[in-house]
């Protein structure tokens, strides 16, 4: 009996000391195991509109701060972000032009299909910007991108008690993710509205195959962006440079006469070939600007002068890459076949 009273007395003294300490510091008294309640939400991307509400995903256009309070994003896209949006728009336009050139007969009226693709892309981009917040202007209110995981918040939903998951999936890169999806959707809509007019009324049904091709690659682009948007965001400058070099070499390799003088003459006197080369050079320069972001203009701007180098290198060294020089015996064995 005496031991029970002693234990009760010690417990009361400890409780009084705990109450005195908490009262002196102004912190709330919490039960066993006497740990102070966390003031921030669990997880990397969970937040709440006020400290009285439960933790969860912030509304669209908001992001949690260091105190897990959802703050409205008021920043503007950085130069790199604008280049990313331009790249995503350029991809669809280049694919439109490529399939039109590949699937349509080489007639002057095909230029109307190229013009239609350009108009569709411009209208889709303009309307996407017009509908973005603040709506009705060409400005964009955005959240800053800090790290790769910002693109994939669905993989960071916390489970504090190892049983119940708090779902905090949200667009931390607002509006870079949804803008591209909206743009591709509008591009598809404008193509269905405008391209048939050019294809059937003005060019004699020459552009139907390019329309079917777009009906395939635009949904594929939407799917690719939905899954690999974050990877593309960080890799697109290098993708641009590498692909422009490879496709430029592929274009030159399709020329029938592979002699240096003939390649030079045909590349710069034929309108179609010159247009394709200039397009590759523009894309290559775009990639250089995206990589350097012109952080040091005096040093980075002259790098754009190297854009024609891959083309000139191919033309100058083409005679050394002739398969007949590497496998002379195969030439004789295949003659007459």
């Amino acid at each position: 009996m005496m031991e029970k009273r002693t234990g009760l007395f010690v417990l009361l003294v400890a409780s009084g000391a705990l109450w005195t300490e908490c009262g002196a510091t102004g912190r709330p008294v919490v039960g066993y195991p006497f740990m102070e309640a966390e003031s921030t939400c669990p997880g990397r991307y969970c937040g709440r509109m006020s400290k009285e509400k439960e933790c969860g995903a912030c509304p669209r256009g908001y992001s949690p701060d260091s105190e897990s309070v959802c703050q409205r994003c008021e920043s503007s896209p950085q130069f790199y972000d604008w280049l990313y949006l331009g790249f995503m728009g350029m991809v669809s336009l280049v694919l439109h032009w490529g399939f039109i050139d590949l699937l349509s007969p080489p007639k002057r009226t095909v230029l109307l299909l190229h013009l239609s693709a350009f108009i569709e892309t411009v209208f889709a981009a303009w309307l996407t910007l017009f509908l973005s917040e603040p709506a009705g202007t060409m400005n964009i209110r955005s959240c800053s991108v800090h790290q790769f995981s910002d693109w994939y918040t669905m993989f960071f939903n916390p489970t504090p008690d190892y049983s119940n998951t708090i779902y905090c999936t949200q667009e931390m890169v607002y509006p870079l993710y949804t803008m591209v999806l909206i743009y591709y959707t509008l591009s598809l809509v404008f193509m269905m509205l405008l391209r048939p007019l050019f294809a059937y009324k003005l060019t004699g049904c020459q552009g139907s195959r390019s329309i079917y091709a777009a009906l395939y690659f635009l949904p594929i682009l939407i799917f690719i962006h939905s899954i690999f948007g974050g990877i593309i965001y960080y890799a697109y400058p290098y993708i641009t440079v590498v692909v422009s070099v490879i496709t430029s070499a592929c274009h030159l390799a399709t020329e029938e006469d592979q002699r240096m003088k003939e390649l030079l003459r045909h590349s710069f006197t034929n309108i179609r070939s010159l247009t394709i080369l200039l397009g590759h050079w523009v894309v290559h320069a775009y990639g250089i600007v995206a990589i350097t972001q012109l952080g040091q203009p005096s040093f980075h701007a002259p790098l754009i002068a190297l854009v024609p180098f891959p083309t000139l290198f191919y033309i100058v060294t083409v005679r050394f890459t002739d398969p007949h020089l590497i496998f002379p015996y195969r030439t004789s064995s295949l003659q007459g076949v």
Side-chain angles (χ1 to χ4, degrees), residues 148-168:
F148 178 74
S149 60
D150 291 349
W151 288 85
Y152 302 101
T153 57
M154 67 178 65
F155 298 112
F156 297 90
N157 294 323
T159 308
D161 56 357
Y162 303 99
S163 177
N164 299 313
T165 302
I166 302 177
Y167 295 97
C168 302

Side-chain angles (χ1 to χ4, degrees), residues 40-76:
T40 59
C41 294
R44 186 179 300 179
Y45 299 109
C46 294
R48 50 195 172 193
M49 296 304 294
S50 62
K51 291 188 176 182
E52 291 76 17
K53 295 186 177 181
E54 295 182 356
C55 295
C58 292
R60 187 169 182 264
Y62 287 75
S63 62
D65 58 12
S66 58
E67 299 296 329
S68 297
V69 177
C70 297
Q71 301 291 342
R72 179 182 170 90
C73 298
E74 296 293 349
S75 60
S76 298

Side-chain angles (χ1 to χ4, degrees), residues 191-263:
M191 184 204 67
M192 296 300 296
L193 293 176
L194 299 179
R195 190 77 64 85
L197 175 64
F198 287 87
Y200 294 98
K201 299 296 184 181
L202 302 180
T203 62
C205 302
Q206 297 178 10
S208 58
R209 298 177 67 186
S210 64
I211 295 177
Y212 293 132
L215 290 176
Y216 279 100
F217 73 71
L218 282 174
I220 291 175
L221 289 178
I222 292 175
F223 174 78
I224 291 175
H225 174 72
S226 301
I227 305 298
F228 303 106
I231 299 176
I232 297 174
Y233 177 80
Y234 287 99
Y236 81 87
Y238 310 98
I239 294 174
T240 303
V241 172
V242 173
V243 171
S244 65
V245 172
I246 294 175
T247 53
S248 178
C250 292
H251 165 69
L252 294 173
T254 58
E255 299 294 339
E256 294 183 0
D257 196 335
Q258 289 291 305
R259 290 177 296 178
M260 183 176 67
K261 291 183 179 180
E262 289 300 319
L263 277 177

Side-chain angles (χ1 to χ4, degrees), residues 137 140 166 230:
T137 66
I140 299 177
I166 302 177

